[in-house]
Amino acid sequence: MIRLIVIFLAVLFPCAAALADSGLTAITVTTAPDGGKTYSLSLQILALMTVMSLLPAALMMMTSFTRIIIVLAILRQALGTASTPTTQTLIGLALFLTVFIMRPVFTEVYNTSVKPYMDEQVTMQEALERGSTPMKKFMLAQTRDSDLSLFAEISDAPAMESREQVPFTLLMPAFLTSELKTAFQIGFIIFIPFLIIDLVVASVLMSMGMMMLSPLIISLPFKIMLFVLVDGWALILGTLAASFST
């Protein structure tokens, strides 16, 4: 591995020197008259590719995806269906529901950040600052004060007068912790009715002396029937969407 890195650097440095000698300025930073800095197109493309590589982590840490996928996984466990719905189905459902929930935030980010940058009305730095504001507002609305205090204490962050002063480096782990806690609270409430059915079926089988028969075989049809009768999917998805309202 070290040899490969050395070979890569040995090849890269002569190429960079050749580009510099030939006058090709692929990576440049120019200073604007107002004191701001403008980056070359190569640097902007590099930054864009870097951001795209971090999109899966950003999707999990900065949107509603984490809460939704955990609740759906707990629901499948409570029903007792090992692989139905499939993991791909749950992930797809969580993705589409995440887009539905985050649509107002994404729309605001596009109108205040992406569109002005594409129209060359603002610089990349200004666009990033504008785009971070709606995301930060959404994350703060879903984050508990106790979680913010915990990570502020761990990082020895200076005292902040308001929640809006919380930096992203502190907000992201606090937001993710709050989402995990909320998801498990919702999952606990979902698990209770199915657990009651399992207990009733197990008690009936024990009283009848049918101890060799797995209670799951008998309780599974009743749990599916209960879930369908109460329109469970609409109830679960509606509750998840409503849990993000502020």
Side-chain angles (χ1 to χ4, degrees), residues 159-200:
M160 291 164 283
E161 297 180 358
S162 62
R163 291 165 61 94
E164 286 71 20
Q165 296 180 352
V166 177
F168 258 108
T169 54
L170 191 151
L171 177 59
M172 282 193 291
F175 171 76
L176 188 59
T177 304
S178 294
E179 287 295 284
L180 290 172
K181 184 176 181 179
T182 304
F184 276 92
Q185 287 176 343
I186 298 175
F188 172 77
I189 297 175
I190 293 173
F191 219 105
I192 289 177
F194 301 108
L195 179 61
I196 293 175
I197 293 177
D198 287 333
L199 290 175
V200 170

CSV table of all heavy atoms in Angstrom, one decimal, residues 159-200:
chain,number,residue,atom,x,y,z
A,159,ALA,N,-19.8,29.0,25.9
A,159,ALA,CA,-21.2,29.2,26.2
A,159,ALA,C,-21.9,29.9,25.1
A,159,ALA,O,-21.3,30.9,24.5
A,159,ALA,CB,-21.3,30.0,27.5
A,160,MET,N,-23.1,29.5,24.7
A,160,MET,CA,-23.8,30.1,23.6
A,160,MET,C,-25.1,30.7,24.2
A,160,MET,O,-25.8,30.1,25.0
A,160,MET,CB,-24.1,29.0,22.6
A,160,MET,CG,-22.9,28.5,21.8
A,160,MET,SD,-23.2,27.0,20.9
A,160,MET,CE,-23.1,25.8,22.2
A,161,GLU,N,-25.5,31.9,23.7
A,161,GLU,CA,-26.6,32.6,24.1
A,161,GLU,C,-27.9,32.0,23.6
A,161,GLU,O,-29.0,32.1,24.3
A,161,GLU,CB,-26.5,34.1,23.8
A,161,GLU,CG,-25.3,34.8,24.4
A,161,GLU,CD,-25.2,36.2,24.0
A,161,GLU,OE1,-26.1,36.7,23.2
A,161,GLU,OE2,-24.3,36.9,24.5
A,162,SER,N,-27.9,31.5,22.4
A,162,SER,CA,-29.1,30.9,21.8
A,162,SER,C,-28.8,29.6,21.0
A,162,SER,O,-27.6,29.4,20.7
A,162,SER,CB,-29.8,31.9,20.9
A,162,SER,OG,-28.9,32.3,19.8
A,163,ARG,N,-29.8,28.9,20.7
A,163,ARG,CA,-29.6,27.7,19.9
A,163,ARG,C,-29.1,27.9,18.5
A,163,ARG,O,-28.4,27.1,17.9
A,163,ARG,CB,-30.9,26.9,19.8
A,163,ARG,CG,-31.4,26.3,21.1
A,163,ARG,CD,-32.9,25.9,21.1
A,163,ARG,NE,-33.1,24.9,20.1
A,163,ARG,CZ,-33.1,23.6,20.3
A,163,ARG,NH1,-32.9,23.2,21.5
A,163,ARG,NH2,-33.4,22.7,19.3
A,164,GLU,N,-29.4,29.1,18.0
A,164,GLU,CA,-28.9,29.4,16.6
A,164,GLU,C,-27.4,29.5,16.5
A,164,GLU,O,-26.8,29.5,15.4
A,164,GLU,CB,-29.6,30.7,16.1
A,164,GLU,CG,-31.0,30.6,15.8
A,164,GLU,CD,-31.9,30.4,17.0
A,164,GLU,OE1,-31.5,30.7,18.1
A,164,GLU,OE2,-33.1,29.9,16.8
A,165,GLN,N,-26.7,29.7,17.6
A,165,GLN,CA,-25.3,29.8,17.7
A,165,GLN,C,-24.6,28.5,17.7
A,165,GLN,O,-23.3,28.4,17.7
A,165,GLN,CB,-24.8,30.7,18.8
A,165,GLN,CG,-25.3,32.1,18.8
A,165,GLN,CD,-24.8,32.9,20.0
A,165,GLN,OE1,-24.3,32.4,20.9
A,165,GLN,NE2,-25.1,34.2,19.9
A,166,VAL,N,-25.3,27.4,17.8
A,166,VAL,CA,-24.7,26.1,17.8
A,166,VAL,C,-24.1,25.8,16.5
A,166,VAL,O,-24.7,25.8,15.4
A,166,VAL,CB,-25.8,25.0,18.2
A,166,VAL,CG1,-25.2,23.6,18.1
A,166,VAL,CG2,-26.4,25.3,19.5
A,167,PRO,N,-22.8,25.4,16.5
A,167,PRO,CA,-22.1,25.0,15.2
A,167,PRO,C,-22.5,23.7,14.7
A,167,PRO,O,-23.1,22.8,15.4
A,167,PRO,CB,-20.6,25.0,15.6
A,167,PRO,CG,-20.6,24.7,17.1
A,167,PRO,CD,-21.9,25.4,17.6
A,168,PHE,N,-22.3,23.5,13.4
A,168,PHE,CA,-22.7,22.2,12.8
A,168,PHE,C,-22.0,21.0,13.4
A,168,PHE,O,-22.5,19.9,13.5
A,168,PHE,CB,-22.5,22.3,11.3
A,168,PHE,CG,-23.8,22.5,10.5
A,168,PHE,CD1,-24.0,23.8,9.9
A,168,PHE,CD2,-24.7,21.6,10.4
A,168,PHE,CE1,-25.1,24.0,9.2
A,168,PHE,CE2,-25.9,21.8,9.7
A,168,PHE,CZ,-26.1,23.0,9.1
A,169,THR,N,-20.7,21.2,13.7
A,169,THR,CA,-19.9,20.1,14.3
A,169,THR,C,-20.5,19.6,15.6
A,169,THR,O,-20.3,18.5,16.0
A,169,THR,CB,-18.5,20.6,14.5
A,169,THR,OG1,-18.5,21.8,15.3
A,169,THR,CG2,-17.8,20.9,13.2
A,170,LEU,N,-21.2,20.4,16.3
A,170,LEU,CA,-21.9,20.0,17.5
A,170,LEU,C,-23.3,19.6,17.3
A,170,LEU,O,-23.8,18.7,18.0
A,170,LEU,CB,-21.8,21.2,18.6
A,170,LEU,CG,-22.2,20.9,20.0
A,170,LEU,CD1,-21.4,21.8,20.9
A,170,LEU,CD2,-23.7,21.1,20.3
A,171,LEU,N,-24.0,20.2,16.3
A,171,LEU,CA,-25.4,20.0,16.1
A,171,LEU,C,-25.6,18.6,15.5
A,171,LEU,O,-26.6,17.9,15.8
A,171,LEU,CB,-25.9,21.1,15.1
A,171,LEU,CG,-27.4,20.9,14.7
A,171,LEU,CD1,-28.3,20.9,15.9
A,171,LEU,CD2,-27.8,22.0,13.8
A,172,MET,N,-24.7,18.2,14.6
A,172,MET,CA,-24.9,16.9,13.9
A,172,MET,C,-25.0,15.7,14.8
A,172,MET,O,-25.9,14.9,14.7
A,172,MET,CB,-23.9,16.7,12.8
A,172,MET,CG,-24.2,17.6,11.5
A,172,MET,SD,-23.2,17.1,10.1
A,172,MET,CE,-21.6,17.7,10.6
A,173,PRO,N,-24.0,15.5,15.7
A,173,PRO,CA,-24.1,14.4,16.6
A,173,PRO,C,-25.3,14.5,17.6
A,173,PRO,O,-25.9,13.5,17.9
A,173,PRO,CB,-22.8,14.3,17.3
A,173,PRO,CG,-22.2,15.7,17.2
A,173,PRO,CD,-22.7,16.2,15.9
A,174,ALA,N,-25.6,15.7,18.0
A,174,ALA,CA,-26.7,15.9,18.9
A,174,ALA,C,-28.0,15.6,18.2
A,174,ALA,O,-28.9,14.9,18.8
A,174,ALA,CB,-26.7,17.3,19.4
A,175,PHE,N,-28.1,16.0,16.9
A,175,PHE,CA,-29.3,15.7,16.1
A,175,PHE,C,-29.5,14.2,15.9
A,175,PHE,O,-30.6,13.6,16.1
A,175,PHE,CB,-29.3,16.4,14.8
A,175,PHE,CG,-30.3,16.0,13.8
A,175,PHE,CD1,-31.6,16.5,13.9
A,175,PHE,CD2,-30.0,15.2,12.8
A,175,PHE,CE1,-32.6,16.1,13.0
A,175,PHE,CE2,-31.0,14.8,11.8
A,175,PHE,CZ,-32.3,15.3,12.0
A,176,LEU,N,-28.4,13.5,15.6
A,176,LEU,CA,-28.5,12.1,15.4
A,176,LEU,C,-28.9,11.3,16.7
A,176,LEU,O,-29.6,10.4,16.6
A,176,LEU,CB,-27.1,11.6,14.9
A,176,LEU,CG,-27.1,10.1,14.4
A,176,LEU,CD1,-28.1,9.9,13.3
A,176,LEU,CD2,-25.7,9.8,13.9
A,177,THR,N,-28.3,11.8,17.8
A,177,THR,CA,-28.7,11.1,19.1
A,177,THR,C,-30.2,11.3,19.4
A,177,THR,O,-30.8,10.4,19.9
A,177,THR,CB,-27.8,11.7,20.2
A,177,THR,OG1,-26.4,11.6,19.9
A,177,THR,CG2,-28.1,11.1,21.5
A,178,SER,N,-30.7,12.5,19.2
A,178,SER,CA,-32.1,12.8,19.4
A,178,SER,C,-33.0,12.0,18.5
A,178,SER,O,-34.0,11.5,18.9
A,178,SER,CB,-32.4,14.3,19.2
A,178,SER,OG,-31.8,15.1,20.2
A,179,GLU,N,-32.5,11.8,17.2
A,179,GLU,CA,-33.3,11.0,16.3
A,179,GLU,C,-33.4,9.5,16.7
A,179,GLU,O,-34.4,8.9,16.6
A,179,GLU,CB,-32.7,11.1,14.9
A,179,GLU,CG,-33.0,12.4,14.2
A,179,GLU,CD,-34.4,12.7,13.9
A,179,GLU,OE1,-35.0,12.1,13.0
A,179,GLU,OE2,-35.0,13.4,14.7
A,180,LEU,N,-32.2,9.0,17.2
A,180,LEU,CA,-32.2,7.6,17.7
A,180,LEU,C,-33.2,7.4,18.9
A,180,LEU,O,-33.9,6.5,18.9
A,180,LEU,CB,-30.8,7.2,18.1
A,180,LEU,CG,-29.8,7.1,16.9
A,180,LEU,CD1,-28.4,6.9,17.5
A,180,LEU,CD2,-30.2,5.9,16.0
A,181,LYS,N,-33.2,8.4,19.8
A,181,LYS,CA,-34.0,8.3,21.0
A,181,LYS,C,-35.5,8.4,20.5
A,181,LYS,O,-36.3,7.6,21.0
A,181,LYS,CB,-33.7,9.4,21.9
A,181,LYS,CG,-34.5,9.3,23.2
A,181,LYS,CD,-34.0,10.4,24.2
A,181,LYS,CE,-34.8,10.3,25.5
A,181,LYS,NZ,-34.4,11.4,26.5
A,182,THR,N,-35.8,9.3,19.7
A,182,THR,CA,-37.2,9.4,19.2
A,182,THR,C,-37.7,8.2,18.5
A,182,THR,O,-38.8,7.7,18.6
A,182,THR,CB,-37.4,10.7,18.3
A,182,THR,OG1,-36.9,11.8,19.0
A,182,THR,CG2,-38.8,10.9,17.9
A,183,ALA,N,-36.8,7.6,17.6
A,183,ALA,CA,-37.2,6.5,16.8
A,183,ALA,C,-37.5,5.3,17.7
A,183,ALA,O,-38.4,4.5,17.5
A,183,ALA,CB,-36.0,6.1,15.9
A,184,PHE,N,-36.7,5.1,18.8
A,184,PHE,CA,-36.9,4.0,19.7
A,184,PHE,C,-38.1,4.2,20.6
A,184,PHE,O,-38.8,3.2,20.9
A,184,PHE,CB,-35.7,3.7,20.6
A,184,PHE,CG,-34.6,2.9,19.9
A,184,PHE,CD1,-33.6,3.5,19.2
A,184,PHE,CD2,-34.7,1.5,20.0
A,184,PHE,CE1,-32.6,2.7,18.6
A,184,PHE,CE2,-33.7,0.7,19.4
A,184,PHE,CZ,-32.7,1.3,18.7
A,185,GLN,N,-38.5,5.4,20.9
A,185,GLN,CA,-39.7,5.7,21.6
A,185,GLN,C,-40.9,5.3,20.8
A,185,GLN,O,-41.9,4.7,21.2
A,185,GLN,CB,-39.7,7.2,22.0
A,185,GLN,CG,-38.8,7.6,23.1
A,185,GLN,CD,-38.8,9.1,23.4
A,185,GLN,OE1,-39.3,9.9,22.6
A,185,GLN,NE2,-38.3,9.4,24.6
A,186,ILE,N,-40.9,5.7,19.5
A,186,ILE,CA,-42.0,5.4,18.6
A,186,ILE,C,-42.0,3.9,18.4
A,186,ILE,O,-43.1,3.2,18.4
A,186,ILE,CB,-41.8,6.1,17.2
A,186,ILE,CG1,-41.9,7.6,17.4
A,186,ILE,CG2,-42.9,5.7,16.2
A,186,ILE,CD1,-41.6,8.4,16.2
A,187,GLY,N,-40.9,3.2,18.2
A,187,GLY,CA,-40.8,1.8,18.1
A,187,GLY,C,-41.4,1.0,19.3
A,187,GLY,O,-42.0,0.0,19.1
A,188,PHE,N,-41.1,1.6,20.5
A,188,PHE,CA,-41.7,0.9,21.7
A,188,PHE,C,-43.2,0.9,21.7
A,188,PHE,O,-43.8,-0.1,22.0
A,188,PHE,CB,-41.1,1.7,22.9
A,188,PHE,CG,-41.7,1.2,24.2
A,188,PHE,CD1,-41.4,0.0,24.8
A,188,PHE,CD2,-42.7,2.0,24.8
A,188,PHE,CE1,-42.0,-0.4,26.0
A,188,PHE,CE2,-43.3,1.6,26.0
A,188,PHE,CZ,-42.9,0.4,26.6
A,189,ILE,N,-43.8,2.1,21.3
A,189,ILE,CA,-45.2,2.2,21.3
A,189,ILE,C,-45.8,1.2,20.2
A,189,ILE,O,-46.9,0.6,20.4
A,189,ILE,CB,-45.6,3.6,21.0
A,189,ILE,CG1,-45.2,4.5,22.1
A,189,ILE,CG2,-47.1,3.8,20.8
A,189,ILE,CD1,-45.4,6.0,21.9
A,190,ILE,N,-45.1,1.1,19.1
A,190,ILE,CA,-45.6,0.2,18.0
A,190,ILE,C,-45.5,-1.2,18.5
A,190,ILE,O,-46.4,-2.1,18.2
A,190,ILE,CB,-44.8,0.4,16.8
A,190,ILE,CG1,-45.1,1.8,16.2
A,190,ILE,CG2,-45.1,-0.6,15.7
A,190,ILE,CD1,-44.2,2.2,15.0
A,191,PHE,N,-44.5,-1.6,19.3
A,191,PHE,CA,-44.2,-3.0,19.6
A,191,PHE,C,-45.3,-3.5,20.6
A,191,PHE,O,-45.6,-4.7,20.6
A,191,PHE,CB,-42.8,-3.1,20.3
A,191,PHE,CG,-42.1,-4.3,19.9
A,191,PHE,CD1,-41.1,-4.3,18.9
A,191,PHE,CD2,-42.5,-5.6,20.4
A,191,PHE,CE1,-40.4,-5.4,18.6
A,191,PHE,CE2,-41.8,-6.7,20.1
A,191,PHE,CZ,-40.7,-6.6,19.1
A,192,ILE,N,-45.9,-2.6,21.4
A,192,ILE,CA,-46.7,-3.1,22.5
A,192,ILE,C,-47.9,-3.9,22.1
A,192,ILE,O,-48.2,-5.0,22.6
A,192,ILE,CB,-47.2,-1.9,23.4
A,192,ILE,CG1,-46.0,-1.3,24.2
A,192,ILE,CG2,-48.3,-2.3,24.3
A,192,ILE,CD1,-46.3,-0.1,25.0
A,193,PRO,N,-48.8,-3.5,21.1
A,193,PRO,CA,-49.9,-4.3,20.7
A,193,PRO,C,-49.5,-5.6,20.1
A,193,PRO,O,-50.2,-6.6,20.4
A,193,PRO,CB,-50.6,-3.4,19.7
A,193,PRO,CG,-49.7,-2.4,19.3
A,193,PRO,CD,-48.8,-2.2,20.4
A,194,PHE,N,-48.5,-5.7,19.4
A,194,PHE,CA,-48.0,-7.0,18.8
A,194,PHE,C,-47.5,-7.9,19.9
A,194,PHE,O,-47.7,-9.1,19.9
A,194,PHE,CB,-47.0,-6.8,17.8
A,194,PHE,CG,-47.5,-6.0,16.6
A,194,PHE,CD1,-47.0,-4.7,16.4
A,194,PHE,CD2,-48.4,-6.5,15.7
A,194,PHE,CE1,-47.5,-3.9,15.4
A,194,PHE,CE2,-48.8,-5.7,14.6
A,194,PHE,CZ,-48.4,-4.4,14.5
A,195,LEU,N,-46.8,-7.3,20.9
A,195,LEU,CA,-46.4,-8.1,22.1
A,195,LEU,C,-47.5,-8.7,22.9
A,195,LEU,O,-47.5,-9.9,23.3
A,195,LEU,CB,-45.5,-7.2,23.0
A,195,LEU,CG,-44.9,-7.9,24.2
A,195,LEU,CD1,-44.0,-9.1,23.8
A,195,LEU,CD2,-44.2,-6.9,25.1
A,196,ILE,N,-48.6,-7.9,23.0
A,196,ILE,CA,-49.8,-8.4,23.7
A,196,ILE,C,-50.4,-9.6,23.0
A,196,ILE,O,-50.8,-10.6,23.6
A,196,ILE,CB,-50.8,-7.3,23.9
A,196,ILE,CG1,-50.3,-6.2,24.8
A,196,ILE,CG2,-52.1,-7.9,24.4
A,196,ILE,CD1,-51.2,-5.0,24.9
A,197,ILE,N,-50.4,-9.6,21.7
A,197,ILE,CA,-51.0,-10.7,20.9
A,197,ILE,C,-50.1,-11.9,21.1
A,197,ILE,O,-50.6,-13.1,21.3
A,197,ILE,CB,-51.1,-10.3,19.4
A,197,ILE,CG1,-52.1,-9.2,19.2
A,197,ILE,CG2,-51.4,-11.5,18.5
A,197,ILE,CD1,-52.2,-8.8,17.8
A,198,ASP,N,-48.8,-11.8,21.1
A,198,ASP,CA,-47.9,-12.9,21.3
A,198,ASP,C,-48.1,-13.5,22.7
A,198,ASP,O,-48.1,-14.7,22.8
A,198,ASP,CB,-46.4,-12.4,21.1
A,198,ASP,CG,-46.0,-12.2,19.7
A,198,ASP,OD1,-46.7,-12.8,18.8
A,198,ASP,OD2,-45.1,-11.3,19.4
A,199,LEU,N,-48.3,-12.7,23.7
A,199,LEU,CA,-48.5,-13.2,25.0
A,199,LEU,C,-49.8,-13.9,25.2
A,199,LEU,O,-49.8,-15.0,25.8
A,199,LEU,CB,-48.4,-12.0,26.0
A,199,LEU,CG,-47.1,-11.3,26.3
A,199,LEU,CD1,-47.2,-10.1,27.2
A,199,LEU,CD2,-46.1,-12.3,26.8
A,200,VAL,N,-50.8,-13.4,24.5
A,200,VAL,CA,-52.2,-14.1,24.6
A,200,VAL,C,-52.1,-15.4,23.9
A,200,VAL,O,-52.6,-16.4,24.4
A,200,VAL,CB,-53.2,-13.2,24.0
A,200,VAL,CG1,-54.6,-13.9,23.8
A,200,VAL,CG2,-53.4,-11.9,24.8
